[in-house]
Amino acid sequence: MRSSSKFADLAQTLEAVRGTRSKNQKVDAFAAYLSKLDADDAEEAARMAVGTSSERGSKDEVQVGYSTVFTVLKGITGASSDDVSKTYLKYGDLGEVAEELLRAKRERPLFEEPLTIAGVSDSFGRLRSAKGKGSGATREALVKSLLLRATPLEGKYIVKVMTREMRTGLVSGMMEGAIAAAFGSSKEETAKAHMLLGDVGLLAKAASRKQLGSVRMEPFRPVNFMLAEPLASAEEVASHFGEAAYAEYKYDGVRAQVHKKGDEVRVYSRRLEDISAFFPEVTRGAAGSAYDFILDGEIVPYSGGKPLPFQLLQRRLRRMVNFSEAAKNAPVEYFAFDLLYEGDREVVELTLRERRKLLDQVRAGTTLRTAESSTVEGAGEISKLFRKSRDLGYEGLVLKSPGSQYTMGKRGSAWVKMKEELDTIDAVIVAAEYGHGKRAGVISDYTFAVRDGDELKTIGKAYSGLTDAEIDEMTARMKEITVHDYGYTRKVKPEVVIEVAFDSIQRSDRHDSGYALRFPRIKRIRADKSVGQADTIEKVEKTFAGQRLKVDRASG
Ligand code: AMP
C-alpha cells in the first residue's frame, strides 16, 4: 500500500473542528491539516471529514448499521447490551459511544501499526463491496478489525463515517473554503471546480495538484440541477419576464440527468445518486444517439400520450426487483428539457435557445422525448396555456428566459414555475367510509382534520388521489384502527397523515374547524409524519388570509 499519513491526525483535527463554534476556526483548522497531505490522502481525508467514503454520485456507500457496530463493540470491549444502550442514551451519537466503550478495550490487536488514511479507506472500500448473501459476517469482521486497531478517538471518527453521522459542523461549502486555503487556489476557481466535480474529495485532489483550472464537465460526473423560482399568477410571470418566454409543461415525476459516453448511459437523481438500475428503459432509450451528452429532464409516469399519477413512480422506486413487471405497471418516459454537455464540450454558457437546438440534434436516434415548449407573451397567453396544462394532467408550467444560461445548483430568476395548487395541507384521517360504485367494497372516503391545540378539527373529506393498491392498503389499515363502527361511517384512531392538495379554502359550518378545503385531493400518504407533525388551524387561517389577498390584488 502507498505511504500514507496517520489516521490519528485526521481524528484529532476533526475533534478540534467539532470543538469550536467559530466557522472560521473550523475552516482554518482543517485547512492547516489538509495542506500537509499528499494529493491522494487529501482526497480521502476531505471526503471522510464530510462523513462519506465514496465519490458523490457513486452507487456504493458504506452503510454499516447500528446493530453491526453494537455487536462489534460488545465483542471487543466486553460491554453488555445494557451498557451499550445506556451509553447511547447518554450521547445519542454512535461515534461517541464507540469512543467511550473503546477506552475499556479488552481484546488486543494482532499487530500494532497505526492506522493510516489509505488503510482505513481501503477497509471502507471492502465494506462497500461486501454485498449480498453472507456479507453480514464479512462486514462485521471488517468493522471489528478496524475498531480493534483504533484508539478511542480514531474509533469515534471511523464509526461516524461508517454511519454517515459526522456532525462536526464542517459542511461541504466550508470544506470548499478549507481546500482553497490549504492549496492557495482562488475562491472563484475552487467554487467553479466544485460545481463541476460535485465531490470534495476530487476537489481536494485537483487543488493539491494545482489542476483546478483544467477541471471540465464530463459524463458520469453529475452536477447540481438548476432550480425554478415559484410565482403565483400569470400576471406576475408576465411582468417578471417583460418579454416573450419559453413555456414548458411542469411534469410531475423524478428530476434526472441522463449521461451518455460511447455506449454507456447512466441516470442520476436530484441528489446526484445513480438511479440507472431503476429505469432500464431510459438507459436503453438513450443509447441510440450518435453523440455523448448530459441531459436534464424529468422521468414521468406516462402512457398513451398522457401523464399518470406520480404515486406509480414512487412505488417503482421502492421496488428494486422485477423490472419488466414494474415497467408494465408503471411505464415511464424521459422528457428532456435541457442540455449541459454535448460531444466533448460543456454548453451551459450557451443560451437556452441555442441549447434547445442542440438538444434536438443529440436526441435523434434515441427514444427520449423533449418537453413540449412554446413561446408565450403576456398574462393572457400564459394563463391560457396554464389551463391547458392542467386539463392535460400536468402540474402547471415552467417558464424560462430564452436568452439565459444554465446555472448549476441555483434557483435563479431565469426559470419560474407556476402551479395551481395554493398549497398543500398535511392532515390526519379521523373518520372513513366505504366508497360508491366502483369503490363500493373498499374504504375510500376519508374525513381529515388539522390540529387545534391538543384537539383535531375536521376540514374536509377526500376520495380521490390514491391508486387502487393504495386504497386496498388503506382499507386494511382503517379496519385495524377503527375505534367505533357506526355502520355508514367509522371513527378511526387518528394516526394516518395525508398530504392534501386543494384549489382554495372556504369558510364552512359543515366542519368543526369552520373551514373547508375546496376540491381536495390526496397527494400522498405521509407515512413519514406523525399526528404531532400534521398542520395546524393557524396554517389554514394564514393560507385563507393569503388567498383573500391574492384575489383582492387580482381583481383590484
Ligand atoms: P418543485 O418541485 O415544485 O419545486 O418544482 C421544480 C421541479 O419541477 C424541478 O425540479 C423539476 O423536477 C420539475 N419540472 C417539471 N417539468 C419541468 C420543466 N419543464 N422544466 C424544469 N423543471 C421541471
Side-chain angles (χ1 to χ4, degrees), residues 100-302:
E100 175 154 329
L101 294 177
L102 286 173
R103 290 207 187 97
K105 193 155 40 176
R106 193 174 55 173
E107 284 191 35
R108 287 277 125 214
L110 294 174
F111 47 99
E112 290 280 358
E113 283 162 45
L115 290 168
T116 61
I117 297 285
V120 173
S121 151
D122 182 62
S123 298
F124 285 157
R126 278 191 273 160
L127 271 170
R128 281 199 299 273
S129 44
K131 277 189 194 141
K133 227 174 147 199
S135 64
T138 316
R139 293 152 69 83
E140 203 173 299
L142 281 164
V143 175
K144 183 171 175 187
S145 83
L146 269 175
L147 293 185
L148 261 181
R149 290 175 61 192
T151 64
L153 190 64
E154 288 173 332
K156 171 178 181 172
Y157 285 97
I158 288 173
V159 167
K160 278 172 170 285
V161 178
M162 287 192 307
T163 54
R164 310 201 64 188
E165 295 175 332
M166 188 46 71
R167 300 186 182 135
T168 58
L170 187 70
V171 294
S172 135
M174 283 155 72
M175 180 58 85
E176 187 181 300
I179 291 170
F183 303 111
S185 47
S186 76
K187 256 196 175 149
E188 296 70 37
E189 191 182 34
T190 319
K192 167 97 206 264
H194 191 188
M195 200 157 73
L196 293 177
L197 294 169
D199 177 82
V200 291
L202 295 176
L203 183 69
K205 183 158 76 177
S208 158
R209 293 187 173 152
K210 309 277 177 242
Q211 290 172 342
L212 290 185
S214 50
V215 170
R216 300 272 176 273
M217 185 181 286
E218 271 176 44
F220 312 138
R221 211 184 260 159
V223 294
N224 288 324
F225 291 80
M226 180 161 175
L227 304 169
E229 189 184 304
L231 286 181
S233 68
E235 287 75 17
E236 271 180 83
V237 175
S239 71
H240 173 86
F241 288 107
E243 54 178 10
Y246 287 168
E248 297 165 4
Y249 293 138
K250 188 169 188 308
Y251 299 89
D252 192 10
V254 170
R255 183 84 177 265
Q257 258 166 46
V258 176
H259 291 222
K260 173 175 176 294
K261 185 171 183 163
D263 293 335
E264 200 175 343
V265 178
R266 286 194 216 152
V267 184
Y268 298 93
S269 72
R270 193 171 176 147
R271 294 166 62 189
L272 312 189
E273 285 164 346
D274 187 332
I275 51 168
S276 318
F278 291 103
F279 300 108
E281 63 269 64
V282 177
T283 53
R284 241 184 283 122
S289 170
Y291 295 83
D292 291 347
F293 56 65
I294 299 180
L295 304 177
D296 183 6
E298 188 100 353
I299 298 173
V300 186
Y302 194 88

Side-chain angles (χ1 to χ4, degrees), residues 360-508:
D360 285 336
Q361 201 175 314
V362 306
R363 195 178 60 98
T366 72
T367 61
L368 309 181
R369 298 172 183 249
T370 42
E372 240 172 274
S373 174
S374 41
T375 305
V376 289
E377 190 169 2
E381 278 182 33
I382 295 172
S383 130
K384 202 164 136 214
L385 190 64
F386 180 76
R387 278 273 121 239
K388 185 171 164 201
S389 81
R390 300 289 305 183
D391 292 344
L392 292 174
Y394 297 101
E395 258 196 310
L397 298 176
V398 182
L399 298 109
K400 304 176 180 181
S401 155
S404 63
Q405 298 185 345
Y406 190 95
T407 48
M408 289 167 271
K410 299 229 168 71
R411 197 175 294 282
S413 54
W415 287 15
V416 303
K417 59 185 177 194
M418 213 183 134
K419 293 200 265 186
E420 174 154 54
E421 279 145 18
L422 200 51
D423 206 344
T424 61
I425 286 214
D426 291 334
V428 189
I429 298 181
V430 292
E433 55 195 83
Y434 281 96
H436 305 280
K438 187 170 141 256
R439 300 259 159 95
V442 287
I443 302 180
S444 61
D445 297 12
Y446 317 102
T447 301
F448 51 85
V450 290
R451 293 188 295 132
D452 183 5
D454 290 339
E455 296 182 64
L456 289 169
K457 298 271 173 70
T458 59
I459 186 165
K461 192 167 155 188
Y463 46 84
S464 78
L466 297 182
T467 61
D468 288 347
E470 280 174 320
I471 293 175
D472 287 342
E473 269 172 47
M474 279 289 245
T475 302
R477 182 87 189 269
M478 291 299 127
K479 285 183 184 161
E480 254 173 53
I481 60 172
T482 296
V483 198
H484 195 94
D485 190 347
Y486 295 97
Y488 64 99
T489 182
R490 53 182 69 213
K491 192 170 154 199
V492 299
K493 204 165 142 207
E495 60 177 42
V496 178
V497 178
I498 50 178
E499 184 182 349
V500 187
F502 52 90
D503 284 0
S504 60
I505 300 180
Q506 293 176 314
R507 286 210 185 274
S508 157

